[in-house]
Amino acid sequence: MRKIREVLRLTAAGLSARQVAASVKLARSTVADYLRRAQAAGVHWPLPEEVDEDTLWDRLYPPTVSAEQAHQPLPDWPRIHYELTRKGVTLMLLWEEYKAHHPDGYQYSRFADLYRQWASKQDVVLRHVHVPGDKLFVDYAGHTLDIIDRRTGELRPAQIFVAVLGHSSYTYAEATWTQSVPDWLASHVRALEFIGGVPRAIVPDNLKAGVTKAHRYDPDINPSYQDLAEHYATTVLPARVRKPRDKAKAEVGVQVVERRILAPLREQSLFSLNEANAAIRPLLDELNRQPFQKREGSRLSVFEAIERAALQRLPATRYEYAEWKKAKVHLDYHVEVDRHYYSVPHTLTGRVVDVRLCASTVEIFLRGTRVAAHTRSTMRGGFTTCPAHRPKSHRAVTELTIEQLFARAETIGPNVVGVLNMQVNMRKHPEYALRACLGILRLANDFSPLQLEAACKQALAHNSTSYRAIRALIKHTLPQTELTLSLPEHDNVRGASYYH
């Protein structure tokens, strides 16, 4: 009872069923059962002070009806089931109408229990009550559609994607070459555009394009599929493994498409996907206009009258397919994607990041936060680097210009400037010249500016101005006399005779 009370409290606080289940260490099905019983019994949090644990238990788990109660008037369950499919109609409202006609009839909790027992024994078509605009069921048909190769005459099977709205059974179908992730997501986009809106949830089977790891309580959704769901502000609710009733609408929809669309096309010669989809569309329209056998109207009429208005609006932009990959940040703060290297902030070196690949962009995320974005490049072995991603020491090197090096050389002497000019003229690539000039100027720090100027004078005289040659002149062959600077003659210089 402590856990039941905690479930009621956390639900009233706004937590989802999954969050509540994780908090109290219960299966989500158990949490859902507690909440269903509480709703049926009219129990709400906070509980009244007079409701103790025994009273709460009796309300949630009422005793078996007595023999006298068994003679109470039985509700018209088929009518009640149909009324529940109508917008705004609830089981509580139907119970109130039942009590108005039968004052001595069942109380609400027993009424609800008996309805669920009746519904569980009915045909699968009647078992679930689908709220308008709530779910779109998607799957692939078991049968394929043969398309003829014009050049070879060979038959190539095309996959048939089927989407069915829960309430109206409004159906969409199309042919694609594969069941791969790009085809799977592209079919979703076209299906949503066909119905002109977005349901609150999409219910797929556990195929790899949609679910990377099936699980009863916490399945792993394919990242690209989750990306599509976020773009359209909907939710992916995979059917449980080996639970066909979870996707009964899709199962029936697939069966209807196979009978009403694929079977009539079995003898027709089709030479491309466009031809196949052009042949599918009129049969699909006819299927949606066909009257129901067990309810009023057709798929199209119910959709137009009730379900269209219950759908969420399509976003302003169409979903762009994106592929997700994981990558490790290299020591040079770049990640490799399709043999090209993209930079990330240097502080992420060694981290594993998520990469989102679109046709024109590459986005890099760390724990859901975007840390970098680049224009996608097809150049293998190339680098795309944002200067802001470099550490300060690296930026100091990459942002250095040849003009800055010449300005520094002028403060040392004209011979150093001459050597740098020769380096620039000798090197074909600007970056190579920049590195050579930078190395020569560093000799002023390793030795002295005076020694560097004298060595550059000798190097120019011998036409040998490489870094190695100048360094060797300073260390070994440069005469000491070359380091003596001549002073200009003027009247204020006393001369050597002054000291005799």
Side-chain angles (χ1 to χ4, degrees):
M1 292 306 300
R2 180 183 60 81
K3 289 195 173 185
I4 293 177
R5 295 170 68 91
E6 187 67 0
V7 166
L8 296 177
R9 185 184 70 82
L10 294 176
T11 301
L15 272 67
S16 66
R18 179 178 293 176
Q19 292 171 324
V20 173
S23 176
V24 298
K25 302 297 187 296
L26 290 174
R28 277 194 295 169
S29 59
T30 303
V31 172
D33 180 66
Y34 289 163
L35 296 176
R36 185 169 57 249
R37 288 179 177 274
Q39 182 181 7
V43 174
H44 304 284
W45 188 269
L47 298 174
E49 294 182 358
E50 65 273 11
V51 177
D52 57 14
E53 291 190 356
D54 291 336
T55 304
L56 180 60
W57 179 269
D58 290 339
R59 289 189 182 182
L60 297 184
Y61 297 91
T64 306
V65 296
S66 62
E68 291 78 14
Q69 291 175 311
H71 296 290
Q72 290 175 322
L74 193 66
D76 184 2
W77 298 126
R79 187 191 67 82
I80 288 173
H81 188 86
Y82 174 76
E83 290 296 321
L84 283 172
T85 65
R86 301 176 65 177
K87 189 175 182 179
V89 178
T90 64
L91 199 59
M92 176 65 77
L93 175 62
L94 296 174
W95 171 76
E96 290 173 351
E97 294 175 355
Y98 162 77
K99 286 290 285 184
H101 289 86
H102 307 285
D104 58 341
Y106 296 104
Q107 297 304 312
Y108 178 76
S109 60
R110 184 57 181 164
F111 178 89
D113 285 342
L114 290 175
Y115 167 72
R116 283 191 289 269
Q117 292 175 16
W118 174 89
S120 66
K121 299 176 182 178
Q122 305 309 303
D123 185 78
V124 292
V125 177
L126 297 176
R127 187 159 299 173
H128 294 285
V129 177
H130 296 288
V131 178
D134 186 44
K135 291 185 178 69
L136 178 71
F137 296 84
V138 292
D139 202 356
Y140 282 103
H143 297 170
T144 57
L145 186 64
D146 288 333
I147 296 179
I148 304 171
D149 190 314
R150 289 184 183 274
R151 294 176 301 174
T152 65
E154 295 180 354
L155 297 180
R156 182 179 178 183
Q159 309 298 318
I160 305 300
F161 173 85
V162 179
V164 182
L165 281 170
H167 178 74
S168 64
S169 295
Y170 193 57
T171 303
Y172 173 77
E174 70 170 21
T176 61
W177 283 127
T178 70
Q179 296 186 16
S180 62
V181 176
D183 280 343
W184 170 252
L185 299 184
S187 293
H188 277 69
V189 172
R190 290 187 286 269
L192 294 175
E193 292 175 352
F194 177 80
I195 66 177
V198 182
R200 285 181 283 277
I202 299 176
V203 183
D205 202 355
N206 286 278
L207 74 168
K208 286 297 183 181
V211 181
T212 55
K213 184 179 180 181
H215 192 276
R216 181 182 178 89
Y217 302 112
D218 192 16
D220 290 337
I221 309 300
N222 185 297
S224 298
Y225 199 16
Q226 185 63 41
D227 198 29
L228 177 140
E230 292 176 2
H231 178 83
Y232 287 104
T234 188
T235 303
V236 177
L237 296 176
R240 294 171 295 172
V241 179
R242 294 185 294 277
K243 296 292 184 180
R245 293 176 183 174
D246 287 2
K247 54 184 179 68
K249 279 284 182 178
E251 297 284 348
V252 174
V254 163
Q255 186 181 68
V256 171
V257 166
E258 290 175 346
R259 293 176 178 177
R260 298 291 183 179
I261 296 179
L262 298 186
L265 293 176
R266 68 188 184 281
E267 300 296 339
Q268 187 169 336
S269 296
L270 303 169
F271 296 94
S272 67
L273 277 181
N274 289 337
E275 284 189 23
N277 286 316
I280 287 173
R281 182 53 63 89
L283 296 175
L284 180 63
D285 293 339
E286 182 181 344
L287 167 64
N288 284 321
R289 289 194 299 267
Q290 185 179 13
F292 288 119
Q293 294 182 354
K294 297 184 178 180
R295 55 189 290 196
E296 295 181 358
S298 64
R299 292 172 174 81
L300 179 61
S301 65
V302 176
F303 171 74
E304 294 289 354
I306 299 176
E307 193 148 30
R308 181 188 288 276
L311 295 170
Q312 304 173 83
R313 297 180 62 182
L314 287 167
T317 58
R318 199 183 200 195
Y319 169 75
E320 181 183 5
Y321 169 68
E323 184 179 357
W324 287 82
K325 294 183 177 180
K326 287 190 177 294
K328 186 173 182 179
V329 182
H330 297 174
L331 290 175
D332 61 354
Y333 44 89
H334 286 70
V335 296
E336 179 187 351
V337 180
D338 293 340
R339 303 293 180 86
H340 192 87
Y341 299 87
Y342 301 90
S343 69
V344 300
H346 67 91
T347 54
L348 301 181
T349 297
R351 303 291 296 273
V352 176
V353 294
D354 295 310
V355 182
R356 183 176 184 265
L357 299 173
C358 293
S360 58
T361 60
V362 174
E363 297 176 284
I364 302 166
F365 295 81
L366 178 68
R367 295 182 178 177
T369 301
R370 192 175 77 172
V371 295
H374 302 279
T375 300
R376 189 168 184 176
S377 174
T378 57
M379 184 174 65
R380 286 177 172 254
F383 286 80
T384 299
T385 306
C386 175
H389 293 163
R390 301 182 186 273
K392 289 183 178 180
S393 58
H394 290 197
R395 290 203 300 270
V397 174
T398 58
E399 295 172 4
L400 193 63
T401 64
I402 198 70
E403 290 78 11
Q404 291 173 319
L405 295 183
F406 270 94
R408 182 180 174 191
E410 289 174 355
T411 65
I412 299 176
N415 292 306
V416 177
V417 175
V419 168
L420 263 58
N421 272 318
M422 289 193 67
Q423 292 293 330
V424 171
N425 294 330
M426 289 168 53
R427 310 296 182 183
K428 294 182 178 180
H429 197 282
E431 188 173 345
Y432 197 3
L434 188 72
R435 291 171 61 185
C437 293
L438 184 61
I440 292 171
L441 289 176
R442 282 183 61 89
L443 293 173
N445 298 331
D446 296 342
F447 300 98
S448 71
L450 188 64
Q451 288 175 294
L452 177 60
E453 170 67 11
C456 287
K457 181 179 179 181
Q458 287 285 80
L460 290 171
H462 293 89
N463 197 27
S464 178
T465 57
S466 68
Y467 168 84
R468 293 175 182 273
I470 295 173
R471 185 179 179 86
L473 283 171
I474 295 176
K475 293 186 67 175
H476 304 295
T477 62
L478 190 64
Q480 188 65 29
T481 56
E482 293 288 347
L483 300 179
T484 304
L485 294 177
S486 60
L487 296 176
E489 295 183 1
H490 52 83
D491 296 339
N492 293 329
V493 178
R494 287 173 287 186
S497 62
Y498 176 83
Y499 294 98
H500 292 284

